[in-house]
Amino acid sequence: MVQRRLGVLAEAPLRWESRLPFGGRAVYARRHIRVMWPYLTPRKLANIALNELEMRAARPRPRSVPPYIKIEATPLCHMKCPGCWHHSKAYKKTLDNNMHLTVARVARIVEPVSRDLVGVSLSFGGEPLLNRELPGIVAYLHGLDIGTSFPTNLSVPLSTEQAESFVRSGLDLMNVSLDGASEETYRQYRIGGRYPLVLENVRQLADAKRRLGASRPLLIWKMVVFPHNAHEVQLVRDTHGSLGFDGYELVPDKDSRDHVDVEKAQRKMIAQRKPCFHPWNTTVIGWDGSVEPCCKQLNSIKLGDAADAGLLSVWRSDRYAALRAGFDRKGYGDKMHPVCRRCIGLDR
């Protein structure tokens, strides 16, 4: 019954507009429910319930495992969008072309928690499509009954065969970062991207789904709304379906007035001494197995190596426990990691 109700919600057309850029937990859950719901089992639901209880109690070493995680397909990207790490030449110089996730490394990371894991987003710091093993990685995870998704600028040449490989792999959702409904507005932010190529790739994927009789991957037009493209919002609403998208998501830029709502939510969180959900509900794993607690920082909090020591070992390690202990109600903030303090607004 629970899965049936979630299914009704998840299969409704995805046409929603987030007022909280970078979200809150409600935004996070809503974004991922379409990936997760077909893979829910009684065991996974029990893990989610325990995870919620342990987060509310700020338990430093949870028995539950994260229901949804991010594993980076690659840190590489061919674009230089403002506001992204890749806009920095110094950052790009730290990368090399061998930095790609492999099926073997995914297996070492995921297998210990596969029976409880509901979904994986194959992303973090780069463009997932640059990893040529990506369809195989998705197929491996799908074979373990784990939902898969990733965001993409989709400005990478995609052949008919490659489009079909993603459909056959079992990929559930592809969020296409397309910040404009015209080439003129698109290229103001997506530096190095090719607007016509993105639309052609969407058409290729939509055609591949029709040929193979598949409903997934869901293709979602994700547009960050800036002052320079706000006049095209209605055009996104009106044209996304005819272009091959299954839905759209509009997210305000972090510098917009809506960002005040995020700061208000953070002040309420601090006043009520509530824990951040990231250290309990999810984790972020780099292409090489390195573990960080969330996707809001880059290489700021190193917690271990999931490909070497195993995800469970890192998840319940002293280092992770110390991070969570900073959110204990009695000493809230006193022992909190400096990065966490800044992130939630304690040091403003």
Side-chain angles (χ1 to χ4, degrees):
M1 179 63 73
V2 172
Q3 191 177 53
R4 191 181 307 125
R5 289 175 180 172
L6 286 172
V8 171
L9 171 65
E11 291 305 324
L14 182 53
R15 302 171 186 175
W16 66 288
E17 302 170 25
S18 167
R19 296 201 66 240
L20 298 183
F22 313 111
R25 197 170 174 208
V27 171
Y28 183 87
R30 189 174 182 181
R31 179 171 291 134
H32 296 298
I33 186 64
R34 295 180 74 114
V35 175
M36 295 172 64
W37 79 267
Y39 302 94
L40 291 172
T41 64
R43 178 182 174 124
K44 292 180 181 182
L45 286 169
N47 178 69
I48 291 171
L50 178 59
N51 187 267
E52 176 71 18
L53 291 173
E54 291 181 320
M55 183 198 69
R56 292 187 181 188
R59 184 172 181 172
R61 279 190 175 83
R63 290 172 52 206
S64 62
V65 301
Y68 196 94
I69 65 176
K70 294 174 75 72
I71 306 177
E72 183 179 56
T74 179
L76 304 176
C77 185
H78 56 299
M79 293 171 60
K80 299 182 290 185
C81 305
C84 176
W85 303 314
H86 285 276
H87 191 65
S88 165
K89 290 182 180 180
Y91 174 68
K92 281 188 176 291
K93 288 180 180 179
T94 66
L95 309 175
D96 69 64
N97 290 330
N98 296 316
M99 293 178 168
H100 294 289
L101 185 68
T102 64
V103 174
R105 187 171 292 132
V106 168
R108 291 198 298 272
I109 293 168
V110 165
E111 284 191 359
V113 296
S114 61
R115 294 179 64 194
D116 297 300
L117 193 57
V118 186
V120 171
S121 174
L122 292 162
S123 65
F124 181 30
E127 168 50 53
L129 289 180
L130 296 181
N131 185 329
R132 295 302 180 185
E133 283 195 51
L134 194 60
I137 293 169
V138 172
Y140 168 77
L141 292 169
H142 184 72
L144 293 176
D145 288 328
I146 297 171
T148 53
S149 67
F150 58 82
T152 173
N153 57 52
L154 206 55
S155 188
V156 177
L158 200 65
S159 68
T160 299
E161 293 75 18
Q162 287 171 320
E164 289 189 356
S165 72
F166 279 110
V167 177
R168 291 195 175 98
S169 70
L171 180 67
D172 292 286
L173 185 146
M174 190 182 288
N175 277 310
V176 181
S177 298
L178 188 62
D179 302 319
S182 67
E183 186 167 8
E184 181 182 1
T185 55
Y186 168 81
R187 65 187 180 191
Q188 289 189 48
Y189 185 80
R190 294 289 161 182
I191 308 300
R194 296 162 56 191
Y195 185 76
L197 177 60
V198 177
L199 296 185
E200 170 61 18
N201 284 339
V202 171
R203 184 194 64 77
Q204 285 258 40
L205 288 160
D207 287 349
K209 286 164 61 179
R210 281 192 290 271
R211 283 195 303 274
L212 298 174
S215 60
R216 295 192 172 207
L218 298 169
L219 304 173
I220 306 302
W221 183 344
K222 182 177 179 180
M223 180 167 120
V224 179
V225 182
F226 300 98
H228 69 261
N229 66 9
H231 64 286
E232 293 182 336
V233 164
Q234 190 58 49
L235 196 56
V236 174
R237 296 185 182 117
D238 294 341
T239 64
H240 70 277
S242 63
L243 293 173
F245 289 100
D246 297 294
Y248 65 84
E249 178 183 353
L250 303 175
V251 182
D253 172 38
K254 66 180 179 64
D255 294 323
S256 72
R257 286 185 294 179
D258 285 315
H259 196 61
V260 173
D261 292 340
V262 174
E263 294 176 354
K264 181 179 178 181
Q266 287 178 331
R267 288 195 297 270
K268 183 178 179 181
M269 171 182 161
I270 293 168
Q272 297 179 353
R273 298 197 165 201
K274 288 186 175 181
C276 172
F277 73 92
H278 283 101
W280 283 269
N281 291 168
T282 186
T283 197
V284 177
I285 303 168
W287 70 274
D288 58 353
S290 58
V291 179
E292 300 190 43
C294 73
C295 58
K296 294 187 177 184
Q297 316 296 330
L298 177 66
N299 300 326
S300 298
I301 307 177
K302 293 289 189 178
L303 296 169
D305 187 334
D308 181 25
L311 181 55
L312 279 179
S313 177
V314 177
W315 182 249
R316 294 171 181 152
S317 67
D318 291 344
R319 199 175 299 177
Y320 229 133
L323 182 82
R324 298 187 188 101
F327 292 95
D328 181 79
R329 287 184 63 86
K330 292 181 180 179
Y332 193 87
D334 293 342
K335 298 180 180 179
M336 196 176 291
H337 194 287
V339 173
C340 296
R341 287 182 60 90
R342 290 195 300 270
C343 185
I344 68 171
L346 267 173
D347 287 342
R348 285 201 185 100

